[in-house]
Amino acid sequence: MLLKLAWRNIWRNKRRSIIVLISIVVGLTAIVLTDGLSNGMIRQMLFNQVNLDISHLQIHKAGFNSNKVIKNFIPDYQHVESILKSNPEVAAYSKRVFATGILSSANNSSGVIIYGIDPEEEARVSIIKSSIVEGKYLSGSKREIIIGKKLAEKLGVDVGDKVVAMSNTLKGDIGSDAFRVAGIFQTANSEFDKMTVYIVAGAEQEMLNTGDNYHEFAVILKDYNNVTSIKSKLESALGSRYEVFTYKDLLPLFIFQMDLYKESMMILNIIIGLALIFGIVNTMLMSVFERIREFGVLMAIGMRNSKLYLMILFEAFMLGILGTLVGLVCGLLLDIPLAHSGINLSLFATGLESFGIGAIIYPVLSVGNLINAALFMPFVAVLGALYPAYKAIKLEPIYAINYV
Amino acid sequence: MEILKAERLVKIYQDNGVPVSALNNINLTVSKGEYVVIAGPSGSGKTTLLNLLGALDKPTEGRIYFEGEDITTKDKNELSKIRLHKLGFIFQAYNLIPVLTAIENIEFSMMLLGISDKERKEKALALMDELGIKELANKRPNEMSGGQQQRVAVARAIVNNPSVVLADEPTANLDSVTAGHLLDLMEQMNSEKNITFIFSSHDKNVIDRAKRLIILKDGRIDN
Ligand SMILES: Nc1ncnc2c1ncn2[C@@H]1O[C@H](COP(=O)(O)OP(=O)(O)O)[C@@H](O)[C@H]1O
Ligand SMILES: [Mg+2]
């Protein structure tokens, strides 16, 4: 009955309640939308990084990550490979050889990192094959190279043109080889495109004189959420000659940025919440002041202060719930189509690209975020009603009854 | 049996720092089943006295005993409990909850007592039937006349079987015919259910029908 009373009290001043409802709906819609967008952005940033070159897990010779020199190749890589092959949680892996060097064309030259890969393996762990925008991906021929679009522009080369790669060899002298540009790729990360080139592993091993050796296993898991536990399993299976890193270990700055980003989103939500609290305080105060006489009657017939207090909180709570229901529906109606089509941020994309974000953001809605958003408004509304309700119960019944 | 007893009641209001004496040395005893009218011109202290007897306000001096208990020393919550269990109130006007229907208004006092949904409905309907206002059950206050509202208010005031019903000028906003019906109703409840009524009025028709009359003048009992 108290609930019924509270519900009807809300609708006494329809216009006022509707204004509060609209502000709750707008606030919630904004929260759902920004949450979706920021989630989508974070996911995309992470996926772009992970799928470009980081992968979920990397295995090296112990010490390689802090000292990436040619001689730190993986000892007994067949051993590692057999362990990965027998692990059911591993979806794919790619063996890589690395060297830093210089790529030259007839016109220009540029510092690069040369990835030596098995084209088929690499295609299963990274997006490099699908990022080819001109020409073709590596066919397996030792004289082919693929390079980023930015680098191709800098060197002034096209598909079919000849380039020369140069690097230190294992012994410390200079090794070099000529390649023909088979394809040009473009990823969301223009920095990566400027300094990464791919050739077939065998060609690089010949150039560096490293024999049949690799520097890295890039591993993709069936479920990346298990990455930490799989890391420790692999560590104990491999022993101390090797090091295993997760993408979280490899992208500490990125993870930090993500946390920072999430926090700034939370602050935004708090600001929206505060604005709403003031709106609700104001509305509830008005509605309390309008009913002073009525509260006097309620007190006179023996309504306890605690019940009166509860009734006023219920009113705000119901406004919050109602606003939440409508707001969630509005937020989802906006978000779901956007999650399919994406939001085109190409206006700002030149800035975003160097962070590894594409021009189109696809909002991602998580159930957890939706639940948080759904709990947020009723909570905010009740918070906003605390003071007005306190004002109401501080009234003396005799004063209230005679109030005009 | 003595229900209410006021001893040497004094009430002095502060009106912007100026003391206004509203009641001056009131002694009064009301017994179970009495039907008391407090009469007197406007400003004589009727409302003030009823508020004190109804535990809505505290006297400046003096004591009020309700069923033998001193209520002048009790705190807000204890007083609200006494009002809920022992007292019924009828005000001059606007005293129903506007968003509730007649029957819900009557049920409201029972809800505060924690009576179950079903029992509330049955009791409210039975009482409305008895008072001849059953057809008003689903009407909101703004769909009822002043007289109808006051009848519903009577029902709400007596539904929890209070020891005393206090009414401050309940007929003041009614025409004389409607006022007469309301008085009939209260007299009927008084004689049938032995409910004690204390109400104020300066209406001659009401005063003529009083079983016991207390006349106030300048805050003193004048008879
Ligand atoms: N809250 C108040 N503050 C100051 N004076 C008051 C207040 N309430 C009543 N009075 C004064 O007390 C006297 C008695 O008033 P009241 O009890 O309302 O009389 P009645 O109900 O018989 O008209 C009047 O002089 C009135 O002006
Ligand atoms: Mg009066």
Side-chain angles (χ1 to χ4, degrees):
Chain A
M1 184 150 198
L2 215 52
L3 286 171
K4 196 196 293 181
L5 185 55
W7 175 254
R8 290 192 194 161
N9 280 333
I10 293 177
W11 298 112
R12 274 173 121 153
N13 191 327
K14 286 202 183 71
R15 192 170 55 168
R16 194 171 56 208
S17 293
I18 284 172
I19 289 173
V20 174
L21 279 176
I22 288 174
S23 60
I24 293 178
V25 167
V26 169
L28 196 70
T29 306
I31 287 176
V32 169
L33 213 61
T34 53
D35 272 355
L37 205 65
S38 65
N39 264 338
M41 207 133 127
I42 287 171
R43 266 265 279 269
Q44 208 164 323
M45 277 161 86
L46 185 63
F47 277 29
N48 284 345
Q49 289 275 342
V50 163
N51 296 332
L52 194 54
D53 63 333
I54 299 293
S55 72
H56 296 148
L57 280 171
Q58 292 183 2
I59 301 168
H60 316 118
K61 179 187 178 186
F64 174 82
N65 201 49
S66 48
N67 188 19
K68 290 180 179 160
V69 294
I70 296 170
K71 68 172 181 359
N72 274 344
F73 46 73
I74 295 176
D76 193 7
Y77 79 85
Q78 292 89 345
H79 171 60
V80 179
E81 193 159 12
S82 68
I83 285 176
L84 289 177
K85 268 192 178 138
S86 62
N87 191 321
E89 285 168 302
V90 170
Y93 60 84
S94 171
K95 303 188 286 291
R96 293 165 175 170
V97 191
F98 289 117
T100 51
I102 294 171
L103 195 68
S104 314
S105 67
N107 318 310
N108 209 344
S109 62
S110 184
V112 290
I113 300 171
I114 307 162
Y115 279 49
I117 52 162
D118 175 332
E120 275 176 28
E121 279 182 2
E122 184 67 22
R124 283 195 288 267
V125 304
S126 81
I127 54 167
I128 202 66
K129 182 177 182 184
S130 55
S131 301
I132 297 284
V133 290
E134 282 170 53
K136 282 196 210 117
Y137 185 59
L138 298 175
S139 68
S141 151
K142 284 188 180 171
R143 297 276 67 85
E144 284 175 358
I145 189 167
I146 55 172
I147 68 177
K149 193 172 169 83
K150 281 260 146 68
L151 183 61
E153 281 164 11
K154 187 179 175 193
L155 298 179
V157 295
D158 257 322
V159 174
D161 288 350
K162 222 177 86 176
V163 289
V164 174
M166 245 191 307
S167 170
N168 281 322
T169 69
L170 190 58
K171 290 183 195 126
D173 48 2
I174 305 276
S176 78
D177 255 321
F179 297 91
R180 204 165 285 283
V181 177
I184 294 171
F185 59 83
Q186 186 178 21
T187 71
N189 187 335
S190 56
E191 285 303 307
F192 183 87
D193 292 358
K194 225 180 269 180
M195 45 181 265
T196 315
V197 302
Y198 290 86
I199 58 177
V200 170
E204 187 156 343
Q205 285 160 343
E206 278 171 20
M207 189 169 91
L208 303 177
N209 226 337
T210 53
D212 184 22
N213 284 306
Y214 295 91
H215 294 110
E216 175 171 287
F217 275 88
V219 183
I220 292 289
L221 301 175
K222 284 181 181 144
D223 180 3
Y224 75 97
N225 290 309
N226 302 332
V227 68
T228 317
S229 72
I230 296 172
K231 172 191 169 171
S232 45
K233 270 185 225 159
L234 284 176
E235 270 174 340
S236 55
L238 288 165
S240 62
R241 283 196 295 163
Y242 304 93
E243 63 185 18
V244 183
F245 287 108
T246 68
Y247 66 92
K248 290 180 187 166
D249 305 327
L250 295 163
L251 296 166
L253 200 66
F254 182 76
I255 301 290
F256 174 72
Q257 273 179 341
M258 258 168 54
D259 287 346
L260 214 64
Y261 195 62
K262 279 182 189 158
E263 270 163 35
S264 57
M265 278 300 140
M266 202 159 85
I267 289 169
L268 183 74
N269 289 356
I270 288 172
I271 291 171
I272 294 175
L274 276 179
L276 283 173
I277 285 182
F278 284 113
I280 287 165
V281 169
N282 186 41
T283 308
M284 292 308 294
L285 271 181
M286 282 202 293
S287 110
V288 163
F289 283 133
E290 274 171 17
R291 287 184 284 164
I292 287 181
R293 225 197 114 91
E294 197 176 315
F295 291 155
V297 171
L298 291 175
M299 288 169 168
I301 66 173
M303 189 169 191
R304 296 268 297 267
N305 276 345
S306 49
K307 277 221 166 97
L308 187 59
Y309 196 74
L310 211 62
M311 182 182 86
I312 295 171
L313 293 192
F314 272 154
E315 291 174 15
F317 185 69
M318 284 174 171
L319 276 175
I321 294 272
L322 204 64
T324 298
L325 292 178
V326 181
L328 281 181
V329 170
C330 287
L332 289 175
L333 283 180
L334 278 172
D335 242 23
I336 289 172
L338 287 175
H340 284 284
S341 64
I343 299 171
N344 198 329
L345 296 179
S346 47
L347 214 58
F348 321 101
T350 34
L352 292 174
E353 266 176 16
S354 43
F355 290 109
I357 311 174
I360 294 176
I361 306 289
Y362 297 89
V364 173
L365 289 165
S366 74
V367 177
N369 277 353
L370 285 181
I371 289 173
N372 278 346
L375 295 177
F376 188 61
M377 289 301 161
F379 173 75
V380 161
V382 169
L383 218 60
L386 287 179
Y387 175 68
Y390 173 78
K391 272 294 222 206
I393 62 164
K394 279 295 140 196
L395 292 167
E396 286 297 329
I398 186 73
Y399 163 83
I401 290 172
N402 294 319
Y403 188 86
V404 270
Chain B
M1 192 185 76
E2 176 182 302
I3 286 188
L4 256 179
K5 186 176 181 189
E7 276 181 6
R8 282 177 282 106
L9 281 188
V10 173
K11 181 71 186 180
I12 299 169
Y13 290 110
Q14 294 294 328
D15 190 4
N16 291 320
V18 182
V20 179
S21 171
L23 291 178
N24 203 337
N25 199 28
I26 299 282
N27 290 293
L28 175 69
T29 308
V30 177
S31 303
K32 176 86 185 144
E34 275 199 287
Y35 187 84
V36 186
V37 176
I38 300 170
S42 184
S44 59
K46 305 182 295 292
T47 299
T48 305
L49 180 56
L50 280 173
N51 287 341
L52 293 180
L53 297 179
L56 289 168
D57 200 4
K58 292 201 169 169
T60 314
E61 274 172 46
R63 300 259 168 247
I64 299 166
Y65 298 94
F66 186 83
E67 294 180 344
E69 261 188 288
D70 186 355
I71 60 169
T72 52
T73 57
K74 296 201 183 298
D75 70 22
K76 242 181 144 177
N77 264 333
E78 289 171 311
L79 292 180
S80 126
K81 205 164 158 186
I82 290 174
R83 289 199 299 271
L84 176 60
H85 288 261
K86 305 279 186 176
L87 297 171
F89 288 89
I90 303 163
F91 300 96
Q92 197 171 320
Y94 315 111
N95 85 73
L96 297 178
I97 302 163
V99 294
L100 296 183
T101 61
I103 189 165
E104 286 165 348
N105 262 284
I106 296 166
E107 279 183 59
F108 192 80
S109 323
M110 290 190 271
M111 183 274 283
L112 294 176
L113 274 182
I115 295 170
S116 78
D117 223 358
K118 189 163 161 276
E119 194 184 338
R120 284 200 313 247
K121 278 239 156 50
E122 285 170 5
K123 263 183 137 172
L125 269 178
L127 185 60
M128 291 185 98
D129 199 16
E130 205 178 332
L131 299 184
I133 51 172
K134 210 174 171 184
E135 69 283 1
L136 299 176
N138 293 315
K139 290 205 162 139
R140 297 256 181 121
N142 63 4
E143 299 164 334
M144 292 186 262
S145 70
Q148 290 173 326
Q149 287 186 44
Q150 284 304 59
R151 284 157 175 266
V152 175
V154 169
R156 182 183 65 186
I158 64 177
V159 72
N160 284 343
N161 296 317
S163 308
V164 180
V165 172
L166 297 154
D168 191 13
E169 308 209 29
T171 61
N173 286 19
L174 307 179
D175 64 70
S176 58
V177 178
T178 318
H181 288 318
L182 191 72
L183 290 174
D184 292 343
L185 198 72
M186 296 203 285
E187 279 168 24
Q188 181 197 342
M189 290 298 113
N190 173 248
S191 51
E192 281 176 12
K193 301 197 170 193
N194 205 27
I195 294 172
T196 314
F197 277 89
I198 306 175
F199 61 96
S200 68
S201 182
H202 59 255
D203 178 351
K204 190 169 177 306
N205 291 322
V206 178
I207 295 166
D208 288 347
R209 291 173 65 164
K211 293 181 189 162
R212 177 180 167 195
L213 187 64
I214 294 168
I215 298 168
L216 275 185
K217 204 176 161 196
D218 296 331
R220 289 171 191 276
I221 292 178
D222 192 37
N223 53 341

